[in-house]
Amino acid sequence: MGVDQRSNDTDVFKSALNYLSEHALEPCSIDELCQAISISRSQLYRIFIKHMGKSPMQYILHQRITRSCYYLENSQMSINEISYAVGYSDPLYYSRIFRKNMGCSPSQYRRKQAVRLATDSCTEDNSANTIKADTAASPSRKIETRFVKAELRL
């Protein structure tokens, strides 16, 4: 593969990421993405595998789940509102996808995170003024680990 082809692949990849970023709040199909950046499905798939190590749909799913976890942890939005905010038009379908990838429902995830935060703030050691909670694995790392495990099941 020549330098021109690698450069073109990178440009196409950047265009695809820009399009996905600009349309993050909308349901997006791979066909729409291909049409928007004037590329075939097979070329798009090849470029995503090369640059991300995952298919375009896996990338979209990862972005939606990651954003969803952020909203569940940091907002009071309802599950329905979050499903629309991350690009799903059907809250029940969103909940099934979330459960498949995270191992629990969105509401269970929110409760677990609330308990974790409460536990972290309540387990402060007064003498050393340090938190006794497990700090080796951050919540975002746990999300990534769960997602990778779920991705392997796809």
Side-chain angles (χ1 to χ4, degrees):
M1 182 180 297
V3 174
D4 290 339
Q5 182 64 35
R6 277 182 265 168
S7 167
N8 188 39
D9 283 356
T10 302
D11 292 343
V12 169
F13 181 68
K14 287 178 183 177
S15 295
L17 291 181
N18 285 337
Y19 179 86
L20 291 173
S21 177
E22 291 171 6
H23 296 87
L25 301 179
E26 306 165 15
C28 178
S29 75
I30 299 301
D31 290 333
E32 291 170 346
L33 173 59
C34 291
Q35 187 176 14
I37 62 172
S38 303
I39 192 171
S40 72
R41 284 180 71 97
S42 60
Q43 286 175 309
L44 182 67
Y45 184 85
R46 179 184 54 75
I47 290 169
F48 260 80
I49 293 296
K50 175 184 168 187
H51 288 279
M52 297 293 293
K54 59 181 81 174
S55 73
M57 204 61 223
Q58 289 170 325
Y59 173 78
I60 291 169
L61 176 64
H62 180 260
Q63 294 301 314
R64 288 178 176 178
I65 295 295
T66 301
R67 193 174 322 119
S68 176
C69 289
Y70 175 81
Y71 288 142
L72 289 165
E73 293 172 21
N74 299 297
S75 79
Q76 296 301 314
M77 294 168 67
S78 71
I79 305 301
N80 287 352
E81 291 171 324
I82 292 171
S83 72
Y84 296 122
V86 298
Y88 289 97
S89 58
D90 180 358
L92 294 176
Y93 178 69
Y94 157 74
S95 291
R96 281 194 307 265
I97 295 296
F98 188 94
R99 179 184 295 275
K100 181 179 178 182
N101 286 281
M102 297 302 293
C104 62
S105 71
S107 55
Q108 289 170 329
Y109 180 86
R110 179 176 268 167
R111 280 193 298 273
K112 286 179 185 178
Q113 295 306 310
V115 168
R116 182 192 56 79
L117 289 174
T119 303
D120 285 353
S121 65
C122 291
T123 59
E124 194 171 294
D125 181 1
N126 291 332
S127 62
N129 207 18
T130 60
I131 296 177
K132 294 180 182 178
D134 178 18
T135 57
S138 70
S140 61
R141 179 72 183 137
K142 290 178 186 175
I143 292 168
E144 184 67 25
T145 302
R146 284 187 210 134
F147 184 78
V148 169
K149 287 179 184 175
E151 213 175 71
L152 295 174
R153 287 182 273 174
L154 295 177

